[in-house]
Amino acid sequence: MSYTDHDPYDSLTPLRDVVNRFLGDGLVSPERLLTLGRTMPIDVIETPEEFVIEASLTGVRPSNVHVSATTSSVTIHVGRKTHAKADDEGVYLRRERIERHGPEMTRTIALPAEIDPSKVKALYEHGVLTIHIAKDESTKPKTIPLQIAKEYVER
């Protein structure tokens, strides 16, 4: 009778490899971000006169940023050219720069009031896109004059 050296834990090796990869890459690795989709972080601020949208677009050239507006929303589209790797550049040992993977991002922000698309202004400076959106006159709060009854005026 021959003896076969068999490890009872061999069937768990694939599970161990998956757990090691998960712990090694972290919860949010660049590859995991690609599967979850890409978006840009924004802040939307409302003042009595306007809406202001600030979007972080670090590392994006101004020529790749496009802003469009309708009467109820603003869309930011970032289109990047992907890096074409030449054969003589070498082989990646580690590749984490997401912008080379995902060439495009789009974000549409629905606004709580009607706007005039012709009054939208966009400024791009130091990786931050700031969009100023003037409110339509019909949506701005209006002061209602208070009428005072005669009996209160005399006192």
Side-chain angles (χ1 to χ4, degrees):
M1 178 156 102
S2 68
Y3 175 73
T4 306
D5 186 22
H6 176 71
D7 186 1
Y9 297 106
D10 278 345
S11 61
L12 296 177
T13 302
L15 178 62
R16 185 179 335 131
D17 291 341
V18 169
V19 171
N20 285 341
R21 262 189 313 214
F22 178 75
L23 294 176
D25 290 344
L27 295 175
V28 184
S29 68
E31 294 81 15
R32 193 173 305 270
L33 280 176
L34 290 175
T35 60
L36 295 175
R38 293 270 302 160
T39 186
M40 63 202 77
I42 64 164
D43 292 329
V44 180
I45 303 156
E46 181 178 9
T47 69
E49 299 296 319
E50 68 179 353
F51 297 104
V52 179
I53 298 173
E54 294 177 346
S56 295
L57 302 174
T58 307
V60 177
R61 290 189 175 113
S63 60
N64 294 336
V65 178
H66 307 282
V67 178
S68 60
T70 65
T71 57
S72 61
S73 68
V74 173
T75 300
I76 304 167
H77 178 79
V78 178
R80 296 191 200 126
K81 302 233 187 278
T82 56
H83 175 68
K85 185 173 91 61
D87 292 334
D88 59 349
E89 282 188 38
V91 178
Y92 287 106
L93 297 177
R94 186 171 185 119
R95 190 172 181 175
E96 294 182 352
R97 297 191 323 165
I98 300 299
E99 67 272 8
R100 292 191 175 204
H101 295 292
E104 295 185 54
M105 291 186 289
T106 300
R107 181 109 188 234
T108 300
I109 300 99
L111 299 169
E114 295 287 318
I115 63 166
D116 183 357
S118 64
K119 295 183 180 178
V120 175
K121 295 179 184 171
L123 172 69
Y124 186 72
E125 186 177 27
H126 302 294
V128 177
L129 174 65
T130 305
I131 303 170
H132 294 273
I133 307 155
K135 288 185 178 177
D136 193 23
E137 290 298 321
S138 64
T139 63
K140 289 183 182 177
K142 294 183 177 41
T143 304
I144 309 297
L146 183 64
Q147 295 180 355
I148 302 172
K150 287 185 182 181
E151 59 191 53
Y152 289 109
V153 175
E154 296 172 3
R155 291 184 191 184

